[in-house]
Amino acid sequence: MTDRIREFLRTRRPDGPCLVVDLDVVRDKFLSFAKAMPDTRVFYAVKANPAPEVLALLAELGSCFDTASVAEVRMALAAGATPDRISFGNTIKKERDIATAFELGVRLYAVDCEAEVEKIARVAPGARVFCRILSDGAGAEWPLSRKFGCEPAMAPRILEHAHRLGLEAYGVSFHVGSQQRNTGAWDAAVASAAGIFREMSDRGITLKMVNLGGGFPTRYLKNVPAVQAYAQAISDAILTHFGNQVPETIIEPGRGMVGSAGIIKAEVVLVSKKSDTDDVRWVYLDIGKFGGLAETMDEAIRYPIRTERDGDEMTPCVLAGPTCDSADVMYEKDPYFLPVSLEIGDEVLIEGTGAYTTTYSAVAFNGFEPLKSYVI
Amino acid sequence: MTDRIREFLRTRRPDGPCLVVDLDVVRDKFLSFAKAMPDTRVFYAVKANPAPEVLALLAELGSCFDTASVAEVRMALAAGATPDRISFGNTIKKERDIATAFELGVRLYAVDCEAEVEKIARVAPGARVFCRILSDGAGAEWPLSRKFGCEPAMAPRILEHAHRLGLEAYGVSFHVGSQQRNTGAWDAAVASAAGIFREMSDRGITLKMVNLGGGFPTRYLKNVPAVQAYAQAISDAILTHFGNQVPETIIEPGRGMVGSAGIIKAEVVLVSKKSDTDDVRWVYLDIGKFGGLAETMDEAIRYPIRTERDGDEMTPCVLAGPTCDSADVMYEKDPYFLPVSLEIGDEVLIEGTGAYTTTYSAVAFNGFEPLKSYVI
């Protein structure tokens, strides 16, 4: 909670659930990344929070942008970024979307297979491509599937294919998993990347960039290492595996940039018990899995929740959303401790919600409006 | 697939993923419910698909409406339903929303605890309430949590509380679980309801209605029983447990009314392998968990998928959506068999998607637009 958000909620008293994002926190985060990793370019992951005010601030501060779609490319451009500061980082792109991004000036694209390389070669001649490799994601709190990336052994063939088709085989990317609390998680992936650089060099092709991805955490209930600790661990990994042939590096923070800048204000709609003998109460909020808290899926992300009664005795609660969907339950396997005095109508503040909330919210499930957002 | 949908897709050729709903199917479904259960009023679950054309057709056919929010109450009214044909069926309601619904003329409300009864008594004096009881949901394909309903033993106290506060203790409701393929699932819940009727009668209060909920399935990959089979099983249960004191009954079909009326047209964006030795390919579509197919969560609902190459050899595929979210994978634990000849750019038709798709889709995750919908 920041003073500016507290003041906004006190004076504006917005009705219904809403997210409030404090730009001062975003600025601090950007500057701490820039300071801790001065030789690394920051590509903000637009999908984390594409609010125009957030993008405009970051563009002004000199950030680059990692985009997932043509719509996000346009948002980054509208915010003031030049096309050379935009990466089309989704490995899954329609050919016509690549063509549009290329027309808009974007020259940097992610790939993880030969078919994607061929699309880019057809409609974005001469563009730079980096190949995403798989990482096991151990230590990350948001699940990392095998959806993005190829086995490292395949990468040289894919990059050489790009080279032969007239593209610039530019580098390697990976993602160590979102909300990665282990600063050592980058080491193995950097080692893989260095191996691919060597293999490509043997083939006469010089790669230039390692895209270190995201994974930088937001502080939820558990402490997380500082940005400096990540910077040090990554720097050590680069030195270990690349020696004095240090590549160009970029990072793609999303959650780590905006997560802690946002707070969701919500309201207790109902408190009840399912039977007289239950120890666990059910607390229903006016926001749930379909209203912006999608990352509570499988109870993956556990947000800090504050109430005005936090000094009182705490008891275990199942926390659920307001929709008529049985799956709209946030914390049940591992109940959430909330004040026994919590009442219908009480305000609750859900912290660390600046990332992956507004855009995840459903258009109108059960007739509920999407999450409102205020950027201050 | 219906001829009308096939013709629409052929002539209109809409760009991007979209849902097409055939109103003729909705009409047939409504009439089959009405015919199979002539003494039961149908309250269509608006949340399943609130398209104005669907609501208007059902209103014209004489359907009533089960709503989850004030917005849905307004949609039902706008479609031509009178307030006496609307139930506010969400057990989790803000008091100010109850007040608004009451002003709009709604007189029937769901409750599952005393606190909710008290809200209704304060702002909707004299309204009818029914108490939702828990059901175990065995046999249902979409998970049923304990989110809605109380233990049956609590219901008489809650209903008596309503009575004492000047409300009309009107009945009992339950839900046997969405996509319920076992027609026998209603029996135990009807028995519980009958027990509550007797207990209330002993307290001098006559309940009138049993709300049999939803659960009526859409045909996905497996066969499902016909509406008549459900009607017969429910009728048998009522006779067994209520004898000749047959209560008023209502049903709340959502999926069973509109699921089979809709088809999503999507496109293959990428086909790839993660390593040379993998047997399983990855097929990426331009729609996924965040674009309308939320019910693939935990691989719960398995949609039939048709392609123009279905005569060819089929091989196992992981099916994923287009977003940069690792969780946006639909079928992986149990891979989906698709033609080995499937290519980037191919059209795929996802059947049985008329329910729980459009409104579930995210507002703009990754910059992708919400699912478009055409009702024909």
Side-chain angles (χ1 to χ4, degrees):
Chain A
M1 174 54 84
T2 70
D3 289 344
R4 296 180 69 229
I5 293 177
R6 188 176 291 115
E7 185 62 14
F8 176 86
L9 289 173
R10 198 182 60 77
T11 55
R12 284 284 297 272
R13 310 205 67 73
D15 187 46
C18 65
L19 169 69
V20 188
V21 174
D22 184 342
L23 286 177
D24 283 355
V25 178
V26 180
R27 180 182 290 106
D28 288 349
K29 283 286 172 185
F30 178 82
L31 296 175
S32 67
F33 278 115
K35 186 180 169 199
M37 306 177 80
D39 300 323
T40 298
R41 282 202 299 168
V42 175
F43 280 67
Y44 170 62
V46 174
K47 59 183 176 288
N49 189 325
E53 302 90 336
V54 169
L55 301 185
L57 169 67
L58 289 170
E60 186 197 318
L61 291 171
S63 185
C64 301
F65 296 90
D66 164 43
T67 62
S69 64
V70 167
E72 287 192 354
V73 169
R74 292 189 198 279
M75 288 182 224
L77 291 170
T82 45
D84 59 304
R85 286 160 62 190
I86 297 173
S87 158
F88 201 154
N90 193 340
T91 53
I92 310 153
K93 300 173 289 296
K94 288 184 181 173
E95 189 166 319
R96 53 192 185 273
D97 289 343
I98 298 167
T100 304
F102 190 72
E103 279 164 27
L104 292 169
V106 176
R107 296 291 179 268
L108 184 60
Y109 297 85
V111 298
D112 67 0
C113 66
E114 284 153 310
E116 195 73 12
V117 164
E118 288 164 12
K119 290 182 202 167
I120 296 169
R122 279 192 292 269
V123 296
R128 291 174 168 175
V129 297
F130 55 90
C131 184
R132 178 153 170 182
I133 57 173
L134 284 163
S135 155
D136 69 4
E141 295 193 2
W142 183 245
L144 189 72
S145 67
R146 285 167 61 85
K147 181 174 178 188
F148 307 105
C150 62
E151 287 291 343
M154 285 175 74
R157 198 178 68 214
I158 293 166
L159 287 164
E160 186 169 5
H161 195 56
H163 177 79
R164 286 183 197 283
L165 293 178
L167 298 170
E168 183 176 0
Y170 197 64
V172 174
S173 79
F174 51 80
H175 198 298
V176 296
S178 198
Q179 187 67 10
Q180 176 55 266
R181 294 169 59 234
N182 173 18
T183 60
W186 276 259
D187 187 74
V190 170
S192 289
I196 295 165
F197 271 59
R198 284 191 297 273
E199 167 78 24
M200 293 304 289
S201 177
D202 293 346
R203 298 183 188 203
I205 297 167
T206 306
L207 298 182
K208 299 201 178 72
M209 180 195 74
V210 177
N211 176 344
L212 300 154
F216 306 95
T218 286
R219 188 182 187 289
Y220 297 115
L221 288 166
K222 297 174 193 159
N223 276 321
V224 296
V227 167
Q228 292 84 340
Y230 287 89
Q232 188 62 52
I234 289 170
S235 170
D236 291 349
I238 298 272
L239 274 175
T240 303
H241 302 294
F242 281 89
N244 59 359
Q245 300 204 295
V246 175
E248 183 186 322
T249 50
I250 70 176
I251 55 172
E252 298 172 333
R255 188 189 305 280
M257 186 79 84
V258 294
S260 62
I263 297 229
I264 284 174
K265 182 215 68 151
E267 178 181 330
V268 176
V269 181
L270 188 64
V271 181
S272 68
K273 281 194 174 188
K274 296 295 164 186
S275 84
D276 291 327
T277 54
D278 277 359
D279 289 329
V280 174
R281 294 179 306 155
W282 281 67
V283 172
Y284 300 89
L285 303 180
D286 60 359
I287 185 169
K289 223 180 231 175
F290 301 107
L293 302 178
E295 290 205 319
T296 58
M297 195 191 288
D298 297 329
E299 310 196 10
I301 298 292
R302 202 164 171 88
Y303 295 106
I305 298 175
R306 311 289 173 211
T307 80
E308 289 183 6
R309 305 179 193 268
D310 285 347
D312 296 353
E313 185 195 347
M314 307 292 261
T315 58
C317 301
V318 176
L319 200 68
T323 68
C324 276
D325 194 310
S326 258
D328 186 13
V329 176
M330 294 180 283
Y331 304 119
E332 182 174 20
K333 280 177 281 182
D334 186 5
Y336 206 101
F337 277 73
L338 290 170
V340 68
S341 53
L342 197 69
E343 280 183 10
I344 292 169
D346 279 2
E347 183 178 283
V348 301
L349 298 174
I350 309 173
E351 297 184 348
T353 44
Y356 301 117
T357 49
T358 49
T359 53
Y360 259 129
S361 76
V363 278
F365 190 53
N366 277 221
F368 293 112
E369 283 177 41
L371 183 61
K372 283 193 289 265
S373 163
Y374 302 94
V375 180
I376 60 173
Chain B
M1 173 55 85
T2 70
D3 289 344
R4 296 180 69 226
I5 294 178
R6 189 176 291 114
E7 186 61 15
F8 176 87
L9 290 173
R10 199 183 61 78
T11 54
R12 285 285 296 273
R13 308 206 67 73
D15 187 46
C18 66
L19 170 70
V20 188
V21 174
D22 185 341
L23 286 176
D24 284 355
V25 179
V26 179
R27 179 182 291 107
D28 288 348
K29 283 285 172 185
F30 178 83
L31 295 175
S32 67
F33 278 115
K35 186 178 170 202
M37 305 177 80
D39 301 322
T40 297
R41 282 204 298 170
V42 175
F43 282 66
Y44 170 62
V46 175
K47 59 183 176 288
N49 188 326
E53 301 91 335
V54 170
L55 301 185
L57 170 68
L58 290 170
E60 185 196 318
L61 291 171
S63 185
C64 302
F65 297 90
D66 164 44
T67 62
S69 64
V70 167
E72 286 193 354
V73 170
R74 292 189 198 279
M75 288 181 224
L77 291 170
T82 46
D84 60 303
R85 286 161 62 190
I86 297 173
S87 158
F88 201 154
N90 193 340
T91 53
I92 310 152
K93 301 173 286 297
K94 289 183 180 173
E95 189 165 319
R96 53 192 185 273
D97 289 343
I98 299 167
T100 304
F102 190 72
E103 279 164 27
L104 292 170
V106 176
R107 295 291 178 268
L108 185 60
Y109 298 85
V111 299
D112 67 0
C113 66
E114 283 152 312
E116 194 73 12
V117 164
E118 287 163 12
K119 291 182 202 167
I120 296 168
R122 279 192 292 270
V123 297
R128 292 173 167 175
V129 297
F130 55 91
C131 184
R132 179 154 169 181
I133 57 173
L134 284 163
S135 155
D136 68 4
E141 295 193 2
W142 182 243
L144 189 71
S145 67
R146 284 168 60 85
K147 181 174 178 189
F148 307 105
C150 62
E151 286 290 343
M154 286 176 73
R157 198 177 68 215
I158 293 166
L159 286 164
E160 186 168 3
H161 194 57
H163 177 80
R164 286 185 196 282
L165 294 178
L167 298 170
E168 183 176 359
Y170 197 64
V172 175
S173 79
F174 52 80
H175 198 296
V176 296
S178 197
Q179 186 68 8
Q180 176 55 266
R181 293 170 58 235
N182 173 16
T183 59
W186 276 259
D187 187 75
V190 169
S192 288
I196 296 164
F197 270 60
R198 284 192 297 274
E199 167 76 23
M200 293 304 290
S201 177
D202 292 347
R203 298 184 188 203
I205 298 166
T206 306
L207 298 182
K208 300 202 178 74
M209 180 194 74
V210 177
N211 177 344
L212 300 154
F216 307 96
T218 285
R219 188 183 187 288
Y220 298 115
L221 288 166
K222 297 174 194 159
N223 276 321
V224 296
V227 167
Q228 292 83 339
Y230 288 88
Q232 189 60 53
I234 289 169
S235 171
D236 291 348
I238 298 272
L239 273 174
T240 303
H241 302 294
F242 281 89
N244 59 358
Q245 299 205 295
V246 174
E248 182 187 323
T249 49
I250 72 176
I251 54 172
E252 298 172 331
R255 189 189 304 280
M257 188 80 83
V258 294
S260 62
I263 298 231
I264 284 174
K265 182 216 69 152
E267 178 181 330
V268 177
V269 182
L270 188 64
V271 180
S272 68
K273 282 195 174 189
K274 296 295 164 186
S275 84
D276 292 326
T277 55
D278 277 358
D279 289 329
V280 174
R281 294 179 307 156
W282 281 67
V283 171
Y284 300 90
L285 302 181
D286 60 357
I287 185 169
K289 224 179 229 172
F290 301 106
L293 301 177
E295 291 204 319
T296 58
M297 197 191 288
D298 298 329
E299 311 196 9
I301 297 292
R302 202 165 172 89
Y303 296 106
I305 300 176
R306 310 292 172 208
T307 80
E308 288 184 7
R309 305 179 194 268
D310 285 347
D312 297 352
E313 185 195 347
M314 307 292 262
T315 58
C317 301
V318 176
L319 200 69
T323 68
C324 276
D325 194 311
S326 259
D328 185 13
V329 176
M330 296 180 282
Y331 305 119
E332 181 175 19
K333 279 177 282 182
D334 187 5
Y336 206 102
F337 277 74
L338 290 170
V340 68
S341 52
L342 198 68
E343 280 183 12
I344 293 169
D346 279 1
E347 182 178 284
V348 300
L349 297 173
I350 309 172
E351 297 184 348
T353 45
Y356 301 117
T357 50
T358 50
T359 53
Y360 259 129
S361 77
V363 277
F365 190 55
N366 276 224
F368 292 111
E369 282 177 42
L371 184 61
K372 282 193 290 266
S373 163
Y374 302 93
V375 181
I376 60 174

